[in-house]
Amino acid sequence: MSVVTAEGLSLTFPGDVQALKGVNLSIDAGEFVSFIGPSGCGKTTFLRVVADLEKPTGGEVRVTGLSPEEARMKRAYGYVFQQPGLLPWRTVEGNVRLPLALMGQDRRTADQRVASVLKMVELDGFGNKYPWQLSGGMQQRASIARALAFDAELLLMDEPFGALDEIVRDRLNDQLLDLWRSTQKTVLFVTHSIPEAVYLSTKIVVMSPRPGRIAKVIDNPLPSDRPLEVRESTEFLSVASDVRNALREGMH
């Protein structure tokens, strides 16, 4: 079943800036799809259209069979931004609870859900801490927990680990892969990192410079169980080479 479909999707900003042009894509339930390409190629814009944060000027997008606006109103997705965006005056638990409170969920059910997602991201025991008391990686995990709180089947992630150092990023990549396998969510993930895209994804969407178009869609043959050491394998390096070549060809 397709969770996200785009047909002839285009978006032109005021001033005749064409961010997306003729994007056709279908993403099935349970896939982990990374979007990679040079800055300004429309990766984040595509996610924002799916999330109903931008309105397309041509074509159509469906999210879980609904329009983006209908999907947003039904809270069909969670969104993790480049920066954690945690409210500094609320504890970790309070930040994760916020979307549940806005939904009017009863306290008992919310307590159970908050405890569950904090455990998923290995932050159980940190619920009473404030964002400023956490490392950057822990803040981003709290942001992921907040996005998971209302148990949407679709998770949109806009370069969530881009500002973190390589050691922390590797650790969070590993945790995110475990989380994806255990929850079977559909994930759309924006990145500038070829190794990150190859390590995480079942499918890699390579985008070309403005106007943003899909240069190539690469299916990733790596098994779903991927230790970090898989990045030294011949298979991994072969997929990374395919992505690198597609990026190079998309520039022309």
Side-chain angles (χ1 to χ4, degrees), residues 120-186:
M120 278 185 203
V121 300
E122 298 184 13
L123 282 179
D124 44 329
F126 289 89
N128 63 344
K129 301 293 185 183
Y130 288 88
W132 55 270
Q133 295 176 299
L134 305 181
S135 68
M138 293 172 77
Q139 288 182 30
Q140 201 57 279
R141 277 191 276 153
S143 177
I144 293 170
R146 181 178 57 191
L148 291 170
F150 43 90
D151 203 24
E153 61 182 282
L154 175 63
L155 190 59
L156 307 175
M157 307 186 76
D158 184 9
E159 209 170 349
F161 309 140
L164 302 175
D165 67 65
E166 189 173 355
I167 295 171
V168 174
R169 190 169 183 156
D170 283 352
R171 169 78 172 139
L172 291 183
N173 279 180
D174 196 34
Q175 289 178 331
L176 179 58
L177 208 51
D178 285 343
L179 187 66
W180 168 69
R181 282 195 296 261
S182 65
T183 62
Q184 299 184 319
K185 304 287 186 193
T186 305

Side-chain angles (χ1 to χ4, degrees), residues 5-54:
T5 58
E7 296 181 0
L9 174 65
S10 298
L11 192 154
T12 302
F13 290 118
D16 201 31
V17 177
Q18 195 162 23
L20 295 170
K21 181 179 181 181
V23 173
N24 297 298
L25 185 64
S26 179
I27 296 170
D28 292 335
E31 286 194 295
F32 194 121
V33 181
S34 285
F35 293 78
I36 192 167
S39 296
C41 72
K43 305 181 298 295
T44 293
T45 300
F46 182 81
L47 246 64
R48 289 176 63 84
V49 169
V50 171
D52 195 41
L53 299 174
E54 302 285 357

Side-chain angles (χ1 to χ4, degrees), residues 33-86:
V33 181
S34 285
F35 293 78
I36 192 167
S39 296
C41 72
K43 305 181 298 295
T44 293
T45 300
F46 182 81
L47 246 64
R48 289 176 63 84
V49 169
V50 171
D52 195 41
L53 299 174
E54 302 285 357
K55 301 289 186 182
T57 50
E60 183 182 43
V61 173
R62 305 295 289 178
V63 184
T64 65
L66 307 169
S67 70
E69 182 178 12
E70 291 169 333
R72 175 174 57 81
M73 297 301 289
K74 291 191 70 172
R75 297 181 176 87
Y77 61 82
Y79 203 119
V80 181
F81 295 90
Q82 292 179 21
Q83 300 298 325
L86 302 172

Side-chain angles (χ1 to χ4, degrees), residues 102-245:
L102 294 174
M103 290 168 61
Q105 194 167 98
D106 69 87
R107 180 85 184 190
R108 181 184 178 87
T109 304
D111 284 347
Q112 293 173 341
R113 185 61 191 165
V114 169
S116 174
V117 294
L118 286 178
K119 187 173 183 178
M120 278 185 203
V121 300
E122 298 184 13
L123 282 179
D124 44 329
F126 289 89
N128 63 344
K129 301 293 185 183
Y130 288 88
W132 55 270
Q133 295 176 299
L134 305 181
S135 68
M138 293 172 77
Q139 288 182 30
Q140 201 57 279
R141 277 191 276 153
S143 177
I144 293 170
R146 181 178 57 191
L148 291 170
F150 43 90
D151 203 24
E153 61 182 282
L154 175 63
L155 190 59
L156 307 175
M157 307 186 76
D158 184 9
E159 209 170 349
F161 309 140
L164 302 175
D165 67 65
E166 189 173 355
I167 295 171
V168 174
R169 190 169 183 156
D170 283 352
R171 169 78 172 139
L172 291 183
N173 279 180
D174 196 34
Q175 289 178 331
L176 179 58
L177 208 51
D178 285 343
L179 187 66
W180 168 69
R181 282 195 296 261
S182 65
T183 62
Q184 299 184 319
K185 304 287 186 193
T186 305
V187 181
L188 276 60
F189 187 94
V190 169
T191 180
H192 280 100
S193 166
I194 293 175
E196 184 170 66
V198 177
Y199 179 65
L200 291 173
S201 313
T202 60
K203 181 185 292 182
I204 301 158
V205 177
V206 180
M207 298 191 69
S208 64
R210 187 178 300 145
R213 291 160 294 175
I214 294 177
K216 190 172 184 179
V217 177
I218 298 172
D219 290 317
N220 192 344
L222 293 174
S224 60
D225 187 12
R226 304 173 190 176
L228 283 170
E229 292 74 23
V230 77
R231 295 182 301 180
E232 300 167 13
S233 69
T234 302
E235 293 81 5
F236 185 97
L237 295 175
S238 176
V239 179
S241 178
D242 288 345
V243 174
R244 192 170 289 107
N245 289 335

Side-chain angles (χ1 to χ4, degrees), residues 90-100 107 110-111 114-115 118 126-131 142:
R90 296 179 73 106
T91 62
V92 169
E93 183 179 295
N95 272 281
V96 175
R97 185 187 303 279
L98 186 59
L100 303 178
R107 180 85 184 190
D111 284 347
V114 169
L118 286 178
F126 289 89
N128 63 344
K129 301 293 185 183
Y130 288 88

